[in-house]
Amino acid sequence: MSLASTQPMASQTSPRNVIRFGVYELDVAAGELRKRGVRLPVQGLPVNILAILAASPGTLVTREELRNQLWPADVFVDFDHSIRNAVARLREVLDDSADHPRYIETLPRRGYRFIADVEAPPAEEPIAAPASVPAEMPVVASSIRRRRLLLAVVLVFVIGGVALLGYWLNQRSKAEPIRSLAVLPFDNLSGDATQDYLADGVTESLIGRLAAIHNLRVISRTSVMTFKGQRTVVPEIAKALDVDAIVEGSVIREGNHVRVHAQLIRARTDEHFWSESYDRDLGDALSLEADLAQTIALKIAATVSGEENARITAARRVAPEVYESYLKGLSVRGDNRAAIEQSIGYFEDAIHKDPSFAPAFVGLAKAYSGLGTIFVGGSPRDFRPKVIEAAKKALELDPNLAEAHALLGQVYQQQWHWSEAESEYRRAIALKPNDAAAVLGLGSWLMCQGRIDESLELATRARSLDPVGVSGGGIAWFLFRARRYDEALRELNSYLAVHPDDAQSLWYMGFVYIAKNEPERAIPVLERTVTLMDRSPGSVELLAAAYGHAGRRGDALRLIDELKRREKTGYVPAGAFINAYLGLGDYEQAFVWFERAYEEQSNILQFMKVHPFFDPVRNDPRFLDLQKRVGLQ
């Protein structure tokens, strides 16, 4: 019988390519690490390093040896940092410890050693000794030598295969273009949690600069910040955000000295293909961020025009105390009056210290815009002029600030200066095509004009740039005005399943249920919304409308009286009464408040052409006249 005839049929993955240790097995060919047969969430560089170490158990593998096997000579990478991160990831999935290792031992300043027992890949069975051989020991010794030789050959092939795999992945990565990118929140490694604002500021600035590239889709800050502090692996984050590559990094501050480390990771393979560190004084933080953005654009081979490059690299020296006040203003998050006023204080402090620092004026304009919303309850007459003043001052200092143009577009739209609003939105998008707020703003402008399909296209585009911020209520509000109620409810239910206390999404759900003539379903949703929104005028008026549609006239009038009492001591939008009286079917009173809303340029009148609640009076001559005066004939 021949030797070949005695061998088992080969499985799909040859056992020679599988290294087993403890409850784990490493499938080198597939690039997979499994625990008791279950695939673990690790791949790419960590798996390649594990294959090299486990192929030589008990043997020191130096950092230089790892570098030579994992990266071609012509590729620049901060391999020390990349290897440390990969080994840390391995220890995480193997439940190992650097202090008390069971699998991977670190030899400081030298390299690593795999210290667990490895089950050798099976080799061929030895050929049976001829019957004429009288002595047994020489045959046994020969068999052992043959096994050792075969094992050595297998290990050589394993190591060579890993090196070839790494080289092949690198070559393939060069061929696959990167068309989308997410910058994850940079880690604050300063040992001081109060310095988080600095790491967040570097993240936001980097996103803003890269967002100027037309041929690259860059995920907005709102969406990436949801991953702050999480231990989700890169491929999962990339899948959630639908991007080709991830930027991650860290910030360390010592006094006025800042060190930023960043690295690029190919999303699908978890391959770290570039990393670098930058050291600057805090006053040169803007130039640091500009250099980092420019380098990333080069490394991903993004097509960048001369104008785009100029915007990406624009920087100036700013006093550390000015930059700190500005970043602290950005770091204050919240849609309540106290939080917004706190941020205004920081921006005003930055402007007082340096009146030529344009970004602080943008932050101030954005904060004033927040004060003028229906949820906070600020009067448009009080805050819109402040938004315009701050935004225009920012543009005097730097005409290329897309956010300032988008804010002007928003206010001009609210004031029914339709052509000026469109121009500002389009200018913002030309400067920063990845600005989700500007894209969504133009989408809202198109909706006001009744150009529904175009509006929904832009809303969808905005969501691709900000999957979290424009999900749920963000996209549902567009679908509601397009009268696609079932789609709006699907979006809202999906979002609320993860964020059950999101007051704005619940508020939008109330609108949809009322428009579907299901006020009984809207009422419990809106009663909860009123509590979550601390009885803001917008939440109370919509609950009153739901009561009115449900025939609960007394409850509706009670809430209308509450709004009228509050109007005597503070601002209540005139639009708040329009929906309530329409819900009661009291169209005469509704038109009284329509006129009041016109006098104060209430936000609700932007949507006269498409708002479903206005359908009962849409053909009334008074409504048509008002629509003409608003500029929406």
Side-chain angles (χ1 to χ4, degrees), residues 460-588:
T460 302
R461 176 180 162 192
R463 180 158 67 170
S464 75
L465 299 171
D466 189 1
V468 175
V470 188
S471 62
I475 196 77
W477 188 231
F478 279 77
L479 293 168
F480 161 73
R481 288 175 290 180
R483 291 170 167 74
R484 291 161 63 166
Y485 303 132
D486 290 338
E487 292 177 58
L489 284 176
R490 281 196 293 272
E491 292 286 348
L492 290 165
N493 283 320
S494 176
Y495 188 77
L496 289 166
V498 182
H499 309 279
D501 293 326
D502 186 77
Q504 192 166 6
S505 292
L506 291 167
W507 189 64
Y508 290 138
M509 181 173 277
F511 273 102
V512 176
Y513 278 136
I514 292 172
K516 280 174 63 70
N517 198 27
E518 298 178 6
E520 294 82 3
R521 301 185 70 178
I523 288 170
V525 171
L526 291 172
E527 286 175 338
R528 185 173 171 215
T529 305
V530 166
T531 301
L532 291 172
M533 288 188 172
D534 196 24
R535 303 194 74 81
S536 71
S539 62
V540 172
E541 56 105 345
L542 192 59
L543 179 57
Y547 283 147
H549 281 281
R552 295 170 58 173
R553 186 176 182 83
D555 289 328
L557 290 173
R558 174 176 53 81
L559 293 182
I560 291 173
D561 287 342
E562 175 187 333
L563 292 174
K564 288 181 177 179
R565 288 194 302 273
R566 291 169 63 177
E567 189 187 25
K568 295 176 181 178
T569 57
Y571 173 72
V572 174
F577 296 92
I578 293 174
N579 286 332
Y581 279 117
L582 287 175
L584 284 169
D586 190 341
Y587 302 147
E588 293 303 316

Side-chain angles (χ1 to χ4, degrees), residues 227 233-246 267-268:
F227 294 98
V233 296
V234 164
E236 292 179 8
I237 295 174
K239 183 178 180 181
L241 298 176
D242 188 26
V243 292
D244 299 325
I246 293 288
R268 189 173 62 82

Side-chain angles (χ1 to χ4, degrees), residues 372-375 377-378 380 537-538 541 563 567 570-578 593 596-597 600 602-603:
T373 67
I374 193 171
F375 305 111
E541 56 105 345
L563 292 174
E567 189 187 25
Y571 173 72
V572 174
F577 296 92
I578 293 174
W593 290 98
R596 289 275 298 272
E600 69 175 31
S602 184
N603 285 338

Side-chain angles (χ1 to χ4, degrees), residues 61-328:
V61 180
T62 67
R63 292 176 298 166
E64 286 298 325
E65 288 172 332
L66 287 172
R67 179 187 186 182
N68 293 336
Q69 292 191 53
L70 293 167
W71 288 284
D74 63 341
V75 174
F76 170 78
V77 66
D78 184 349
F79 69 93
D80 277 333
H81 182 82
S82 298
I83 290 172
R84 282 197 299 271
N85 283 352
V87 171
R89 177 65 181 143
L90 280 175
R91 285 181 171 136
E92 180 183 342
V93 298
L94 292 171
D95 195 22
D96 201 9
S97 165
D99 296 329
H100 304 286
R102 293 183 297 149
Y103 300 107
I104 300 174
E105 179 185 20
T106 300
L107 284 75
R109 296 183 297 279
R110 297 174 66 191
Y112 301 92
R113 178 162 51 209
F114 195 81
I115 58 175
D117 292 333
V118 172
E119 180 181 333
E124 290 91 341
E125 291 297 324
I127 300 174
S132 59
V133 178
E136 183 180 355
M137 289 302 295
V139 175
V140 173
S142 176
S143 174
I144 293 173
R145 285 195 298 273
R146 193 156 48 246
R147 285 177 180 271
R148 288 177 176 172
L149 177 61
L150 287 170
L151 176 59
V153 171
V154 169
L155 292 179
V156 167
F157 275 107
V158 168
I159 295 173
V162 170
L164 287 173
L165 176 63
Y167 180 77
W168 176 74
L169 288 173
N170 182 270
Q171 292 302 108
R172 185 173 65 177
S173 72
K174 293 179 181 178
E176 294 180 354
I178 291 174
R179 297 189 177 90
S180 53
L181 182 78
V183 181
L184 296 186
F186 277 40
D187 293 327
N188 167 28
L189 302 183
S190 302
D192 179 1
T194 63
Q195 294 298 311
D196 276 358
Y197 72 89
L198 178 58
D200 291 347
V202 171
T203 304
E204 184 160 351
S205 176
L206 182 57
I207 292 171
R209 291 176 185 273
L210 293 171
I213 303 175
H214 281 73
N215 291 317
L216 181 70
R217 180 169 60 87
V218 181
I219 302 300
S220 75
R221 179 195 186 281
T222 307
S223 289
V224 298
M225 289 305 289
T226 61
F227 294 98
K228 183 175 180 178
Q230 294 189 15
R231 299 175 66 85
T232 311
V233 296
V234 164
E236 292 179 8
I237 295 174
K239 183 178 180 181
L241 298 176
D242 188 26
V243 292
D244 299 325
I246 293 288
V247 178
E248 63 179 14
S250 60
V251 178
I252 299 176
R253 177 180 180 179
E254 295 178 355
N256 280 335
H257 181 78
V258 179
R259 178 181 176 86
V260 174
H261 179 85
Q263 58 186 352
L264 267 167
I265 307 167
R266 187 168 291 278
R268 189 173 62 82
T269 61
D270 202 13
E271 170 202 359
H272 296 57
F273 64 96
W274 168 84
S275 67
E276 194 166 333
S277 294
Y278 299 78
D279 292 89
R280 303 284 170 85
D281 291 335
L282 186 61
D284 286 323
L286 296 180
S287 64
L288 181 158
E289 294 155 3
D291 290 348
L292 177 55
Q294 185 180 43
T295 302
I296 290 172
L298 290 171
K299 292 300 177 181
I300 63 176
T303 302
V304 181
S305 69
E307 290 184 1
E308 289 170 350
N309 189 64
R311 290 195 290 272
I312 291 171
T313 57
R316 50 159 285 191
R317 183 170 178 82
V318 58
E321 60 272 19
V322 173
Y323 193 57
E324 281 193 282
S325 292
Y326 167 68
L327 291 183
K328 287 178 179 178

